[in-house]
mmCIF file of all heavy atoms in Angstrom:
data_model
loop_
_atom_site.group_PDB
_atom_site.id
_atom_site.type_symbol
_atom_site.label_atom_id
_atom_site.label_comp_id
_atom_site.label_asym_id
_atom_site.label_seq_id
_atom_site.Cartn_x
_atom_site.Cartn_y
_atom_site.Cartn_z
ATOM 1 N N PHE A 1 0.826 -1.202 0.000
ATOM 2 C CA PHE A 1 0.000 0.000 0.000
ATOM 3 C C PHE A 1 0.864 1.258 0.000
ATOM 4 O O PHE A 1 0.492 2.277 -0.602
ATOM 5 C CB PHE A 1 -0.961 0.001 1.182
ATOM 6 C CG PHE A 1 -2.043 -1.037 1.085
ATOM 7 C CD1 PHE A 1 -2.352 -1.859 2.166
ATOM 8 C CD2 PHE A 1 -2.764 -1.202 -0.089
ATOM 9 C CE1 PHE A 1 -3.345 -2.810 2.081
ATOM 10 C CE2 PHE A 1 -3.772 -2.152 -0.186
ATOM 11 C CZ PHE A 1 -4.067 -2.963 0.906
ATOM 12 N N HIS A 2 2.019 1.198 0.661
ATOM 13 C CA HIS A 2 2.962 2.317 0.581
ATOM 14 C C HIS A 2 3.425 2.529 -0.854
ATOM 15 O O HIS A 2 3.518 3.666 -1.338
ATOM 16 C CB HIS A 2 4.183 2.043 1.472
ATOM 17 C CG HIS A 2 4.042 2.573 2.868
ATOM 18 N ND1 HIS A 2 2.885 3.116 3.358
ATOM 19 C CD2 HIS A 2 4.944 2.640 3.894
ATOM 20 C CE1 HIS A 2 3.059 3.486 4.624
ATOM 21 N NE2 HIS A 2 4.300 3.216 4.958
ATOM 22 N N GLU A 3 3.758 1.456 -1.553
ATOM 23 C CA GLU A 3 4.236 1.565 -2.935
ATOM 24 C C GLU A 3 3.196 2.205 -3.841
ATOM 25 O O GLU A 3 3.525 3.037 -4.698
ATOM 26 C CB GLU A 3 4.616 0.185 -3.477
ATOM 27 C CG GLU A 3 5.934 -0.352 -2.965
ATOM 28 C CD GLU A 3 6.377 -1.575 -3.753
ATOM 29 O OE1 GLU A 3 6.390 -1.511 -5.006
ATOM 30 O OE2 GLU A 3 6.688 -2.595 -3.122
ATOM 31 N N ILE A 4 1.945 1.811 -3.668
ATOM 32 C CA ILE A 4 0.882 2.383 -4.494
ATOM 33 C C ILE A 4 0.743 3.873 -4.193
ATOM 34 O O ILE A 4 0.685 4.709 -5.111
ATOM 35 C CB ILE A 4 -0.454 1.648 -4.253
ATOM 36 C CG1 ILE A 4 -0.346 0.191 -4.740
ATOM 37 C CG2 ILE A 4 -1.598 2.363 -4.959
ATOM 38 C CD1 ILE A 4 -1.513 -0.687 -4.336
ATOM 39 N N TYR A 5 0.716 4.220 -2.916
ATOM 40 C CA TYR A 5 0.588 5.629 -2.527
ATOM 41 C C TYR A 5 1.768 6.457 -3.039
ATOM 42 O O TYR A 5 1.586 7.486 -3.699
ATOM 43 C CB TYR A 5 0.481 5.738 -1.004
ATOM 44 C CG TYR A 5 0.658 7.146 -0.486
ATOM 45 C CD1 TYR A 5 -0.362 8.086 -0.593
ATOM 46 C CD2 TYR A 5 1.868 7.535 0.101
ATOM 47 C CE1 TYR A 5 -0.186 9.381 -0.137
ATOM 48 C CE2 TYR A 5 2.045 8.829 0.560
ATOM 49 C CZ TYR A 5 1.014 9.749 0.437
ATOM 50 O OH TYR A 5 1.194 11.026 0.884
ATOM 51 N N GLN A 6 2.980 5.996 -2.737
ATOM 52 C CA GLN A 6 4.162 6.766 -3.141
ATOM 53 C C GLN A 6 4.297 6.827 -4.662
ATOM 54 O O GLN A 6 4.755 7.832 -5.212
ATOM 55 C CB GLN A 6 5.407 6.152 -2.498
ATOM 56 C CG GLN A 6 5.442 6.347 -0.988
ATOM 57 C CD GLN A 6 6.548 5.555 -0.317
ATOM 58 O OE1 GLN A 6 6.805 4.393 -0.673
ATOM 59 N NE2 GLN A 6 7.209 6.157 0.661
ATOM 60 N N GLY A 7 3.886 5.752 -5.337
ATOM 61 C CA GLY A 7 3.942 5.746 -6.792
ATOM 62 C C GLY A 7 3.052 6.820 -7.395
ATOM 63 O O GLY A 7 3.449 7.506 -8.354
ATOM 64 N N TYR A 8 1.861 6.980 -6.842
ATOM 65 C CA TYR A 8 0.964 8.004 -7.367
ATOM 66 C C TYR A 8 1.456 9.410 -7.048
ATOM 67 O O TYR A 8 1.338 10.326 -7.881
ATOM 68 C CB TYR A 8 -0.457 7.787 -6.850
ATOM 69 C CG TYR A 8 -1.260 6.964 -7.833
ATOM 70 C CD1 TYR A 8 -1.472 5.606 -7.628
ATOM 71 C CD2 TYR A 8 -1.756 7.541 -8.990
ATOM 72 C CE1 TYR A 8 -2.168 4.850 -8.548
ATOM 73 C CE2 TYR A 8 -2.458 6.795 -9.922
ATOM 74 C CZ TYR A 8 -2.660 5.459 -9.697
ATOM 75 O OH TYR A 8 -3.330 4.709 -10.628
ATOM 76 N N VAL A 9 2.005 9.609 -5.858
ATOM 77 C CA VAL A 9 2.558 10.917 -5.516
ATOM 78 C C VAL A 9 3.681 11.277 -6.498
ATOM 79 O O VAL A 9 3.724 12.381 -7.047
ATOM 80 C CB VAL A 9 3.072 10.938 -4.067
ATOM 81 C CG1 VAL A 9 3.881 12.207 -3.786
ATOM 82 C CG2 VAL A 9 1.898 10.833 -3.083
ATOM 83 N N GLU A 10 4.590 10.337 -6.735
ATOM 84 C CA GLU A 10 5.717 10.602 -7.636
ATOM 85 C C GLU A 10 5.246 10.808 -9.067
ATOM 86 O O GLU A 10 5.773 11.668 -9.797
ATOM 87 C CB GLU A 10 6.710 9.437 -7.566
ATOM 88 C CG GLU A 10 7.429 9.337 -6.225
ATOM 89 C CD GLU A 10 8.202 8.044 -6.074
ATOM 90 O OE1 GLU A 10 8.287 7.281 -7.063
ATOM 91 O OE2 GLU A 10 8.708 7.785 -4.958
ATOM 92 N N LEU A 11 4.240 10.034 -9.493
ATOM 93 C CA LEU A 11 3.712 10.177 -10.848
ATOM 94 C C LEU A 11 3.150 11.576 -11.072
ATOM 95 O O LEU A 11 3.478 12.249 -12.058
ATOM 96 C CB LEU A 11 2.618 9.132 -11.108
ATOM 97 C CG LEU A 11 1.914 9.220 -12.467
ATOM 98 C CD1 LEU A 11 2.865 8.843 -13.591
ATOM 99 C CD2 LEU A 11 0.681 8.323 -12.490
ATOM 100 N N PHE A 12 2.319 12.032 -10.159
ATOM 101 C CA PHE A 12 1.683 13.330 -10.345
ATOM 102 C C PHE A 12 2.674 14.483 -10.168
ATOM 103 O O PHE A 12 2.518 15.533 -10.799
ATOM 104 C CB PHE A 12 0.474 13.460 -9.413
ATOM 105 C CG PHE A 12 -0.779 12.895 -10.021
ATOM 106 C CD1 PHE A 12 -0.919 11.522 -10.220
ATOM 107 C CD2 PHE A 12 -1.796 13.719 -10.443
ATOM 108 C CE1 PHE A 12 -2.049 10.992 -10.800
ATOM 109 C CE2 PHE A 12 -2.934 13.201 -11.042
ATOM 110 C CZ PHE A 12 -3.064 11.836 -11.216
ATOM 111 N N ARG A 13 3.676 14.273 -9.352
ATOM 112 C CA ARG A 13 4.733 15.283 -9.276
ATOM 113 C C ARG A 13 5.477 15.382 -10.601
ATOM 114 O O ARG A 13 5.800 16.481 -11.070
ATOM 115 C CB ARG A 13 5.697 14.942 -8.139
ATOM 116 C CG ARG A 13 5.188 15.381 -6.769
ATOM 117 C CD ARG A 13 6.161 15.027 -5.676
ATOM 118 N NE ARG A 13 5.736 15.577 -4.398
ATOM 119 C CZ ARG A 13 6.095 15.101 -3.206
ATOM 120 N NH1 ARG A 13 6.907 14.055 -3.137
ATOM 121 N NH2 ARG A 13 5.662 15.676 -2.105
ATOM 122 N N SER A 14 5.766 14.235 -11.210
ATOM 123 C CA SER A 14 6.493 14.245 -12.490
ATOM 124 C C SER A 14 5.668 14.902 -13.589
ATOM 125 O O SER A 14 6.216 15.441 -14.545
ATOM 126 C CB SER A 14 6.872 12.813 -12.895
ATOM 127 O OG SER A 14 5.730 12.075 -13.320
ATOM 128 N N TRP A 15 4.342 14.862 -13.465
ATOM 129 C CA TRP A 15 3.456 15.489 -14.441
ATOM 130 C C TRP A 15 3.173 16.960 -14.107
ATOM 131 O O TRP A 15 2.487 17.636 -14.875
ATOM 132 C CB TRP A 15 2.125 14.736 -14.502
ATOM 133 C CG TRP A 15 2.190 13.410 -15.196
ATOM 134 C CD1 TRP A 15 3.206 12.914 -15.938
ATOM 135 C CD2 TRP A 15 1.156 12.413 -15.207
ATOM 136 N NE1 TRP A 15 2.885 11.664 -16.421
ATOM 137 C CE2 TRP A 15 1.626 11.324 -15.991
ATOM 138 C CE3 TRP A 15 -0.105 12.310 -14.651
ATOM 139 C CZ2 TRP A 15 0.879 10.176 -16.214
ATOM 140 C CZ3 TRP A 15 -0.866 11.170 -14.866
ATOM 141 C CH2 TRP A 15 -0.375 10.112 -15.641
ATOM 142 N N GLY A 16 3.657 17.426 -12.957
ATOM 143 C CA GLY A 16 3.351 18.791 -12.530
ATOM 144 C C GLY A 16 1.908 18.964 -12.092
ATOM 145 O O GLY A 16 1.368 20.072 -12.136
ATOM 146 N N LEU A 17 1.275 17.875 -11.658
ATOM 147 C CA LEU A 17 -0.143 17.905 -11.286
ATOM 148 C C LEU A 17 -0.376 17.597 -9.807
ATOM 149 O O LEU A 17 -1.513 17.359 -9.397
ATOM 150 C CB LEU A 17 -0.925 16.885 -12.140
ATOM 151 C CG LEU A 17 -0.952 17.142 -13.647
ATOM 152 C CD1 LEU A 17 -1.657 16.001 -14.372
ATOM 153 C CD2 LEU A 17 -1.643 18.469 -13.949
ATOM 154 N N TYR A 18 0.699 17.606 -9.039
ATOM 155 C CA TYR A 18 0.543 17.314 -7.606
ATOM 156 C C TYR A 18 0.231 18.618 -6.873
ATOM 157 O O TYR A 18 1.057 19.525 -6.805
ATOM 158 C CB TYR A 18 1.827 16.688 -7.056
ATOM 159 C CG TYR A 18 1.694 16.161 -5.638
ATOM 160 C CD1 TYR A 18 0.908 15.045 -5.375
ATOM 161 C CD2 TYR A 18 2.347 16.785 -4.583
ATOM 162 C CE1 TYR A 18 0.783 14.551 -4.087
ATOM 163 C CE2 TYR A 18 2.230 16.291 -3.283
ATOM 164 C CZ TYR A 18 1.440 15.183 -3.047
ATOM 165 O OH TYR A 18 1.306 14.699 -1.767
ATOM 166 N N ASP A 19 -0.985 18.713 -6.348
ATOM 167 C CA ASP A 19 -1.406 19.914 -5.641
ATOM 168 C C ASP A 19 -2.163 19.504 -4.383
ATOM 169 O O ASP A 19 -2.196 18.327 -4.011
ATOM 170 C CB ASP A 19 -2.274 20.799 -6.541
ATOM 171 C CG ASP A 19 -3.466 20.047 -7.136
ATOM 172 O OD1 ASP A 19 -3.849 18.992 -6.589
ATOM 173 O OD2 ASP A 19 -4.017 20.505 -8.154
ATOM 174 N N LYS A 20 -2.761 20.459 -3.734
ATOM 175 C CA LYS A 20 -3.453 20.188 -2.466
ATOM 176 C C LYS A 20 -4.577 19.179 -2.647
ATOM 177 O O LYS A 20 -4.772 18.291 -1.806
ATOM 178 C CB LYS A 20 -4.005 21.497 -1.888
ATOM 179 C CG LYS A 20 -4.606 21.347 -0.505
ATOM 180 C CD LYS A 20 -5.017 22.702 0.060
ATOM 181 C CE LYS A 20 -5.586 22.541 1.470
ATOM 182 N NZ LYS A 20 -5.984 23.857 2.046
ATOM 183 N N LYS A 21 -5.309 19.295 -3.754
ATOM 184 C CA LYS A 21 -6.426 18.372 -4.002
ATOM 185 C C LYS A 21 -5.932 16.942 -4.173
ATOM 186 O O LYS A 21 -6.444 16.011 -3.545
ATOM 187 C CB LYS A 21 -7.207 18.811 -5.234
ATOM 188 C CG LYS A 21 -8.350 17.858 -5.589
ATOM 189 C CD LYS A 21 -9.021 18.272 -6.886
ATOM 190 C CE LYS A 21 -10.109 17.262 -7.273
ATOM 191 N NZ LYS A 21 -10.762 17.638 -8.568
ATOM 192 N N THR A 22 -4.943 16.771 -5.052
ATOM 193 C CA THR A 22 -4.442 15.411 -5.286
ATOM 194 C C THR A 22 -3.769 14.856 -4.040
ATOM 195 O O THR A 22 -3.907 13.671 -3.729
ATOM 196 C CB THR A 22 -3.461 15.383 -6.467
ATOM 197 O OG1 THR A 22 -2.401 16.309 -6.235
ATOM 198 C CG2 THR A 22 -4.153 15.721 -7.765
ATOM 199 N N ALA A 23 -3.046 15.702 -3.303
ATOM 200 C CA ALA A 23 -2.406 15.243 -2.071
ATOM 201 C C ALA A 23 -3.448 14.718 -1.096
ATOM 202 O O ALA A 23 -3.266 13.673 -0.456
ATOM 203 C CB ALA A 23 -1.608 16.377 -1.435
ATOM 204 N N GLY A 24 -4.577 15.435 -0.998
ATOM 205 C CA GLY A 24 -5.640 15.004 -0.098
ATOM 206 C C GLY A 24 -6.270 13.695 -0.537
ATOM 207 O O GLY A 24 -6.560 12.819 0.290
ATOM 208 N N LEU A 25 -6.462 13.541 -1.840
ATOM 209 C CA LEU A 25 -7.071 12.301 -2.348
ATOM 210 C C LEU A 25 -6.144 11.102 -2.158
ATOM 211 O O LEU A 25 -6.584 10.011 -1.787
ATOM 212 C CB LEU A 25 -7.426 12.472 -3.819
ATOM 213 C CG LEU A 25 -8.649 13.350 -4.104
ATOM 214 C CD1 LEU A 25 -8.762 13.636 -5.586
ATOM 215 C CD2 LEU A 25 -9.926 12.670 -3.611
ATOM 216 N N PHE A 26 -4.852 11.307 -2.393
ATOM 217 C CA PHE A 26 -3.913 10.201 -2.215
ATOM 218 C C PHE A 26 -3.777 9.847 -0.734
ATOM 219 O O PHE A 26 -3.622 8.677 -0.374
ATOM 220 C CB PHE A 26 -2.547 10.550 -2.814
ATOM 221 C CG PHE A 26 -2.570 10.713 -4.304
ATOM 222 C CD1 PHE A 26 -1.682 11.579 -4.938
ATOM 223 C CD2 PHE A 26 -3.471 10.011 -5.091
ATOM 224 C CE1 PHE A 26 -1.692 11.735 -6.312
ATOM 225 C CE2 PHE A 26 -3.497 10.163 -6.466
ATOM 226 C CZ PHE A 26 -2.612 11.035 -7.079
ATOM 227 N N ALA A 27 -3.819 10.868 0.135
ATOM 228 C CA ALA A 27 -3.771 10.603 1.572
ATOM 229 C C ALA A 27 -5.000 9.810 2.005
ATOM 230 O O ALA A 27 -4.898 8.858 2.792
ATOM 231 C CB ALA A 27 -3.680 11.917 2.346
ATOM 232 N N ALA A 28 -6.157 10.179 1.479
ATOM 233 C CA ALA A 28 -7.383 9.445 1.801
ATOM 234 C C ALA A 28 -7.289 8.000 1.338
ATOM 235 O O ALA A 28 -7.729 7.073 2.030
ATOM 236 C CB ALA A 28 -8.584 10.138 1.158
ATOM 237 N N MET A 29 -6.701 7.801 0.152
ATOM 238 C CA MET A 29 -6.495 6.454 -0.372
ATOM 239 C C MET A 29 -5.623 5.636 0.571
ATOM 240 O O MET A 29 -5.930 4.488 0.884
ATOM 241 C CB MET A 29 -5.838 6.550 -1.750
ATOM 242 C CG MET A 29 -5.367 5.241 -2.350
ATOM 243 S SD MET A 29 -4.526 5.508 -3.941
ATOM 244 C CE MET A 29 -2.928 6.136 -3.407
ATOM 245 N N ARG A 30 -4.549 6.248 1.049
ATOM 246 C CA ARG A 30 -3.641 5.520 1.946
ATOM 247 C C ARG A 30 -4.311 5.203 3.274
ATOM 248 O O ARG A 30 -4.129 4.103 3.819
ATOM 249 C CB ARG A 30 -2.356 6.332 2.183
ATOM 250 C CG ARG A 30 -1.307 5.560 2.999
ATOM 251 C CD ARG A 30 -0.863 4.317 2.276
ATOM 252 N NE ARG A 30 -0.063 3.403 3.076
ATOM 253 C CZ ARG A 30 -0.550 2.412 3.812
ATOM 254 N NH1 ARG A 30 -1.874 2.202 3.871
ATOM 255 N NH2 ARG A 30 0.241 1.607 4.491
ATOM 256 N N LEU A 31 -5.093 6.126 3.806
ATOM 257 C CA LEU A 31 -5.768 5.883 5.077
ATOM 258 C C LEU A 31 -6.848 4.813 4.935
ATOM 259 O O LEU A 31 -7.063 4.012 5.848
ATOM 260 C CB LEU A 31 -6.373 7.179 5.611
ATOM 261 C CG LEU A 31 -5.368 8.262 6.009
ATOM 262 C CD1 LEU A 31 -6.089 9.496 6.518
ATOM 263 C CD2 LEU A 31 -4.393 7.754 7.053
ATOM 264 N N ASN A 32 -7.522 4.783 3.796
ATOM 265 C CA ASN A 32 -8.502 3.734 3.549
ATOM 266 C C ASN A 32 -7.850 2.357 3.603
ATOM 267 O O ASN A 32 -8.431 1.388 4.108
ATOM 268 C CB ASN A 32 -9.160 3.946 2.188
ATOM 269 C CG ASN A 32 -10.240 2.924 1.908
ATOM 270 O OD1 ASN A 32 -11.254 2.872 2.593
ATOM 271 N ND2 ASN A 32 -10.034 2.108 0.887
ATOM 272 N N ASN A 33 -6.618 2.279 3.117
ATOM 273 C CA ASN A 33 -5.925 0.992 3.131
ATOM 274 C C ASN A 33 -5.395 0.613 4.512
ATOM 275 O O ASN A 33 -4.997 -0.537 4.712
ATOM 276 C CB ASN A 33 -4.790 0.999 2.101
ATOM 277 C CG ASN A 33 -5.309 0.792 0.694
ATOM 278 O OD1 ASN A 33 -6.289 0.080 0.484
ATOM 279 N ND2 ASN A 33 -4.673 1.433 -0.281
ATOM 280 N N VAL A 34 -5.402 1.557 5.455
ATOM 281 C CA VAL A 34 -5.103 1.196 6.846
ATOM 282 C C VAL A 34 -6.141 0.179 7.328
ATOM 283 O O VAL A 34 -5.806 -0.817 7.976
ATOM 284 C CB VAL A 34 -5.103 2.446 7.751
ATOM 285 C CG1 VAL A 34 -5.171 2.060 9.228
ATOM 286 C CG2 VAL A 34 -3.849 3.280 7.486
ATOM 287 N N THR A 35 -7.397 0.433 6.997
ATOM 288 C CA THR A 35 -8.450 -0.515 7.357
ATOM 289 C C THR A 35 -8.223 -1.868 6.695
ATOM 290 O O THR A 35 -8.377 -2.919 7.319
ATOM 291 C CB THR A 35 -9.823 0.051 6.949
ATOM 292 O OG1 THR A 35 -10.082 1.236 7.727
ATOM 293 C CG2 THR A 35 -10.924 -0.958 7.197
ATOM 294 N N ASN A 36 -7.839 -1.854 5.418
ATOM 295 C CA ASN A 36 -7.586 -3.121 4.717
ATOM 296 C C ASN A 36 -6.413 -3.871 5.333
ATOM 297 O O ASN A 36 -6.427 -5.110 5.412
ATOM 298 C CB ASN A 36 -7.320 -2.844 3.235
ATOM 299 C CG ASN A 36 -8.534 -2.310 2.521
ATOM 300 O OD1 ASN A 36 -9.662 -2.653 2.873
ATOM 301 N ND2 ASN A 36 -8.336 -1.469 1.526
ATOM 302 N N GLU A 37 -5.387 -3.151 5.742
ATOM 303 C CA GLU A 37 -4.239 -3.792 6.409
ATOM 304 C C GLU A 37 -4.672 -4.512 7.676
ATOM 305 O O GLU A 37 -4.320 -5.670 7.903
ATOM 306 C CB GLU A 37 -3.194 -2.743 6.796
ATOM 307 C CG GLU A 37 -2.277 -2.304 5.695
ATOM 308 C CD GLU A 37 -1.214 -1.352 6.218
ATOM 309 O OE1 GLU A 37 -0.468 -1.736 7.144
ATOM 310 O OE2 GLU A 37 -1.131 -0.225 5.706
ATOM 311 N N ILE A 38 -5.394 -3.799 8.525
ATOM 312 C CA ILE A 38 -5.794 -4.384 9.806
ATOM 313 C C ILE A 38 -6.765 -5.534 9.578
ATOM 314 O O ILE A 38 -6.677 -6.579 10.225
ATOM 315 C CB ILE A 38 -6.410 -3.311 10.716
ATOM 316 C CG1 ILE A 38 -5.388 -2.203 10.988
ATOM 317 C CG2 ILE A 38 -6.865 -3.929 12.036
ATOM 318 C CD1 ILE A 38 -5.930 -1.022 11.775
#
């Protein structure tokens, strides 16, 4: 789940599209997977 999260952050940074909105959505994605982990 870390790899998926970090991969998307790096992808959108490389595209110049990483902003507050995308950061929030990716963070929400990672937190959702906390439940899946447990």
Side-chain angles (χ1 to χ4, degrees):
F1 291 133
H2 269 7
E3 284 192 50
I4 294 170
Y5 167 76
Q6 291 171 319
Y8 266 101
V9 169
E10 292 169 7
L11 176 69
F12 273 69
R13 279 180 174 156
S14 72
W15 286 349
L17 297 175
Y18 189 69
D19 54 20
K20 186 175 182 179
K21 177 185 177 181
T22 56
L25 286 170
F26 294 150
M29 171 183 76
R30 186 62 191 90
L31 294 180
N32 183 64
N33 282 327
V34 165
T35 295
N36 293 328
E37 279 185 57
I38 300 175

